[in-house]
């Protein structure tokens, strides 16, 4: 199984400031046939199910604000919230969908400082 | 639009078998590439995959829980059923079903809280 490791486990950021979450995969999630990294991000707000936020490393799901962006390559990926809003308080998970089983990171909790 | 809804008992006793049903609409589990996956989340903890069933009836189980899990589908009723045997208090948590398409879980149910207690 591909192991996904996120860092930090939690972070507190002031409103309007930037928040960055890292995700590292234990092996490459790059499909060289199409040059796509099979890496997604999910957001889980308190009391809600997870919501797909970003896929193919950097493609935002429909309706996701553009303050959310994804980047990375190889085995290292980052989710960035450019200007943290109160409604962004949540746990964020990365997930690889390169191979079965599809595996998640342990989650990163984002709070307001 | 796509919706999924989990149903089942809120409380089960230790050693009992849990049966959960995921009833969905807006897509067909007969369509190539379509899957439904069950996950769970203990209170305050991370997501854990349980089992997945694909359009062609392929099934995948969490390796560490494989002996306790069974997943099946009723395509005519748009339902996926998960059973988990020998329930224990550590199995307490919120159980979710989600649609998986091309490896992405793009639609989720609201989840159902299952408590294991005598």
């Amino acid at each position: 199984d591909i192991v996904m490791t996120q860092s930090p486990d939690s972070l507190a950021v002031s409103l309007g400031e930037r928040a960055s979450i890292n995700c590292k995969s234990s092996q490459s999630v790059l499909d060289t046939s199409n040059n796509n990294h099979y890496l997604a991000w999910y957001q889980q707000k308190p009391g809600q199910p997870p919501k797909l936020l970003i896929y193919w490393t950097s493609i935002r799901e429909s309706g996701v604000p553009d303050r959310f962006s994804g980047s990375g390559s190889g085995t290292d990926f980052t989710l960035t919230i450019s200007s943290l809003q109160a409604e962004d308080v949540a746990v964020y998970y990365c997930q690889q969908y390169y191979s079965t089983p599809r595996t998640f990171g342990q989650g990163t909790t984002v709070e307001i400082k | 639009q796509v919706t999924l809804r989990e149903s089942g008992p809120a409380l089960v006793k230790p050693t009992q078998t849990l049966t959960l049903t995921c009833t969905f609409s807006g897509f067909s589990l007969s369509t190539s590439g379509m899957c439904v996956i069950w996950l769970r989340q203990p209170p305050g903890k991370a997501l854990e995959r349980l089992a997945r069933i694909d359009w062609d009836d392929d099934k995948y189980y969490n390796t560490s829980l494989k002996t306790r899990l069974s997943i099946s589908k009723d395509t005519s009723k748009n339902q996926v059923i998960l059973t988990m045997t020998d329930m224990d208090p550590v199995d307490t948590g919120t159980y979710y079903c989600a649609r998986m398409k091309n490896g992405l879980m793009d639609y989720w149910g609201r989840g159902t809280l299952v408590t294991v207690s005598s």
Side-chain angles (χ1 to χ4, degrees):
Chain A
D1 296 6
I2 297 178
V3 176
M4 307 299 289
T5 305
Q6 293 180 227
S7 61
D9 288 335
S10 65
L11 75 161
V13 176
S14 300
L15 288 171
E17 296 299 305
R18 177 184 298 252
S20 292
I21 301 166
N22 300 307
C23 174
K24 189 174 184 67
S25 57
S26 61
Q27 60 192 75
S28 174
V29 296
L30 170 67
D31 186 341
T32 54
S33 67
N34 57 24
N35 207 35
N36 280 325
H37 290 87
Y38 286 56
L39 190 284
W41 292 94
Y42 296 79
Q43 174 194 59
Q44 187 178 26
K45 295 183 179 181
Q48 296 184 19
K51 169 190 168 184
L52 177 62
L53 211 58
I54 285 174
Y55 57 96
W56 295 132
T57 301
S58 60
I59 306 298
R60 281 186 298 275
E61 181 76 327
S62 176
V64 173
D66 60 7
R67 63 179 180 273
F68 291 92
S69 64
S71 62
S73 64
T75 60
D76 293 284
F77 303 90
T78 301
L79 174 70
T80 300
I81 309 172
S82 60
S83 175
L84 191 72
Q85 305 299 303
E87 61 265 32
D88 301 334
V89 168
V91 178
Y92 293 83
Y93 296 93
C94 62
Q95 179 228 339
Q96 65 80 21
Y97 52 106
Y98 177 77
S99 67
T100 294
R102 321 304 190 184
T103 45
F104 288 93
Q106 80 276 19
T108 295
T109 302
V110 174
E111 301 169 321
I112 304 294
K113 186 187 291 183
Chain B
Q1 79 275 25
V2 173
T3 65
L4 301 99
R5 178 173 50 86
E6 305 88 352
S7 58
L11 178 67
V12 297
K13 290 180 167 46
T15 76
Q16 286 187 336
T17 294
L18 171 69
T19 299
L20 295 174
T21 300
C22 176
T23 303
F24 58 87
S25 64
F27 68 97
S28 172
L29 201 39
S30 299
T31 301
S32 179
M34 211 64 74
C35 316
V36 170
I37 185 169
W38 280 97
L39 308 95
R40 70 178 179 181
Q41 188 170 41
K45 295 189 177 180
L47 295 163
E48 180 181 30
R49 296 167 294 102
L50 296 176
R52 172 185 128 200
I53 191 164
D54 295 355
W55 79 99
D56 57 2
D57 213 38
D58 274 353
K59 299 165 187 175
Y60 300 87
Y61 296 99
N62 181 312
T63 305
S64 62
L65 296 168
K66 186 182 173 94
T67 60
R68 299 173 53 205
L69 292 171
S70 178
I71 191 169
S72 62
K73 62 182 171 75
D74 186 332
T75 306
S76 65
K77 292 184 178 178
N78 281 350
Q79 291 182 332
V80 171
I81 297 97
L82 179 77
T83 61
M84 180 180 287
T85 61
D86 194 24
M87 294 293 284
D88 183 272
V90 301
D91 296 314
T92 293
T94 299
Y95 287 70
Y96 296 100
C97 64
R99 183 180 87 161
M100 180 184 280
K101 186 178 175 186
N102 300 322
L104 295 169
M105 294 155 220
D106 57 353
Y107 290 92
W108 295 67
R110 296 182 65 176
T112 185
L113 177 62
V114 177
T115 301
V116 184
S117 174
S118 55

